[in-house]
Amino acid sequence: MKKHNFSAGPCILPQEVLEKASEAVLNFNDDDLSLIEISHRSKSFVEVMEKARSLALELLGLENKGYKAVFLQGGASLEFLMVAYNLLHKKAAYLNTGTWANNAIKEAKAFGEVLEVGSSKDKDFNYIPKGYTVPEDADYFHCTSNNTIVGTQMKAFPETNVSLVCDMSSDIFSRQLDFEKFDLIYAGAQKNMGPAGTTLVIIKEEILGKVERQIPTMLDYQVHIAKESMANTPSVFAVYVSMLTMQWLKDLGGIKFIEEVNNKKAALLYTEIDRNSLFTGIVAKEDRSTMNATFTLTDASLKETFDVMWSTAGISGLNGHRSVGGYRASMYNALPLYSVQVLVDIMQELEAKK
Ligand SMILES: *Cc1c(COP(=O)(O)O)cnc(C)c1O
């Protein structure tokens, strides 16, 4: 039987998507060829790419609003660099909410002045900074909507005229937001959309072409848009599986539907963390992520017992990030509510044993 997969990334994917993907590896579209051995310029694959790009915009409600979607390589980590390369003239504002935000800041510093407008470093990033101001003359404001590692999530975004750029790697398609507020959104596929190997970037086209520096071909968003995400051979398998996952989400009822499920899963687990005296949450309550819930045991001597209990129950991927410790339950879109119930039952069993 399939395990209850709480992995932070690469993440759980819907079973029906895995089945369709494995069929396509053997025989794609009944063409008697594998998806991964046909030309990316073939009609069959061009249709996949087109579908993936249009589904991304459709799910976010960004069709016909001046946005383009592209699937790139190099992970979300390359976007840290590309964002600054393509958008930073003089000065950019960044919110430092943890490791990923920090990596983005590091890359941007090579291109201009980087203002850290807020940081939660003082408390190991266990909260989201608030009350910061974004200077009106910044070229853009960059933030990370969900800190995958520590388990915080931005519930609000600043009201500003400055371009909003957001790394949504670990909560893309998980909740409804006013996506039109953002000029650029990027997300590595492997957290909530598909397998590793591709990164979705959604860009409001009008913000491009304004920096004076020369941009290397493969780092230039305008090139990728003009070439319709085929500037070079794309990650065909990763794009295909992402497309299937987006189609799965659309058929279920889109972000509106999945947000309700995600809220139920998060409420079930956080309620138990707060109720059960053997556990304690790691981050500020108001900033808790619906995607990655982090917690520790109040009595460290129970670790071995608890670890055996959950792994015996078929739970996988529950260990916290090596930099944080404790536990991290990642509850991405494809994780069923039932899996969270199994975890909560184990937490209650541990309490009953004590
Ligand atoms: C995992 C992650 C990244 C890094 O993604 P790669 O695709 O491995 O480069 C960046 N940002 C966030 C929020 C992440 O969770």
Side-chain angles (χ1 to χ4, degrees):
M1 211 187 74
K2 171 114 185 187
K3 287 190 173 168
H4 301 286
N5 187 359
F6 287 87
S7 171
C11 70
I12 182 171
L13 291 171
Q15 197 60 25
E16 61 178 81
V17 165
L18 295 178
E19 278 160 20
K20 278 188 195 153
S22 32
E23 277 166 29
V25 167
L26 294 173
N27 180 4
F28 182 50
N29 272 355
D30 280 328
D31 282 345
D32 295 320
L33 287 169
S34 168
L35 166 78
I36 56 175
E37 60 179 11
I38 58 169
S39 167
H40 58 292
R41 311 254 176 227
S42 63
K43 187 169 171 288
S44 300
F45 187 75
V46 170
E47 278 173 10
V48 169
M49 181 59 96
E50 284 318 302
K51 183 100 212 206
R53 295 177 65 206
S54 68
L55 274 170
L57 292 177
E58 187 184 339
L59 285 169
L60 299 172
L62 292 177
E63 296 156 297
N64 306 316
K65 287 178 177 155
Y67 290 86
K68 287 282 159 64
V70 286
F71 284 88
L72 307 181
Q73 297 180 59
S77 298
L78 189 64
E79 297 318 306
F80 300 157
L81 170 75
M82 283 177 73
V83 161
Y85 226 130
N86 284 263
L87 303 178
L88 210 169
H89 314 242
K90 286 204 177 81
K91 179 163 91 180
Y94 277 71
L95 188 65
N96 189 358
T97 53
T99 306
W100 301 119
N102 207 50
N103 290 358
I105 289 168
K106 195 174 139 221
E107 297 303 295
K109 281 184 174 163
F111 301 94
E113 189 189 337
V114 174
L115 256 178
E116 213 174 283
V117 294
S119 171
S120 45
K121 196 165 184 229
D122 58 336
K123 290 190 177 164
D124 296 329
F125 302 110
N126 74 0
Y127 69 104
I128 298 285
K130 294 168 198 87
Y132 53 88
T133 38
V134 178
E136 289 288 316
D137 62 343
D139 299 323
Y140 61 87
F141 168 72
H142 179 283
C143 58
T144 313
S145 53
N146 185 68
N147 179 341
T148 327
I149 293 177
V150 178
T152 58
Q153 186 173 38
M154 293 176 74
K155 308 294 173 183
F157 296 85
E159 293 298 332
T160 168
N161 295 324
V162 172
S163 260
L164 286 187
V165 174
C166 190
D167 174 2
M168 292 195 190
S169 292
S170 51
D171 66 355
I172 185 109
F173 304 138
S174 72
R175 57 173 172 162
Q176 290 182 291
L177 290 174
D178 183 3
F179 295 105
E180 278 186 72
K181 273 187 161 178
F182 300 89
D183 282 347
L184 195 151
I185 294 168
Y186 62 91
Q190 74 276 15
K191 300 286 170 38
N192 204 25
M193 178 171 57
T198 192
T199 311
L200 169 65
V201 185
I202 294 186
I203 313 162
K204 193 158 203 185
E205 240 185 323
E206 67 182 32
I207 67 167
L208 297 174
K210 294 182 178 164
V211 289
E212 275 146 33
R213 74 177 63 88
Q214 193 175 347
I215 305 172
T217 312
M218 291 306 289
L219 300 182
D220 189 340
Y221 288 129
Q222 285 184 310
V223 169
H224 292 290
I225 290 172
K227 301 280 185 187
E228 302 183 321
S229 227
M230 296 269 199
N232 70 333
T233 318
S235 283
V236 291
F237 185 72
V239 172
Y240 179 66
V241 180
S242 298
M243 185 278 279
L244 291 179
T245 311
M246 289 187 283
Q247 185 66 55
W248 165 83
L249 179 56
K250 182 186 161 181
D251 294 344
L252 277 180
I255 297 180
K256 188 173 172 352
F257 172 84
I258 210 73
E259 180 176 29
E260 279 175 35
V261 181
N262 289 335
N263 286 343
K264 272 190 203 147
K265 290 186 287 187
L268 179 60
L269 182 54
Y270 284 122
T271 302
E272 181 61 18
I273 291 170
D274 292 339
R275 187 206 61 79
N276 191 324
S277 62
L278 299 182
F279 296 94
T280 170
I282 289 178
V283 307
K285 279 190 188 175
E286 76 268 20
D287 301 325
R288 281 173 164 175
S289 167
T290 54
M291 295 280 97
N292 315 95
T294 55
F295 55 96
T296 53
L297 280 163
T298 48
D299 176 357
S301 73
L302 292 171
K303 178 171 163 43
E304 215 169 300
T305 313
F306 182 56
D307 289 355
V308 169
M309 284 170 71
W310 60 257
S311 54
T312 310
I315 288 173
S316 169
L318 198 66
N319 286 318
H321 188 270
R322 59 191 182 280
S323 67
V324 180
Y327 299 95
R328 171 173 54 171
S330 297
M331 301 175 283
Y332 295 120
N333 284 354
L335 185 85
L337 179 64
Y338 172 67
S339 291
V340 181
Q341 187 61 57
V342 170
L343 173 58
V344 166
D345 289 347
I346 295 293
M347 293 163 82
Q348 293 180 352
E349 266 177 50
L350 183 71
E351 183 186 40
K353 255 191 183 177
K354 232 215 145 193

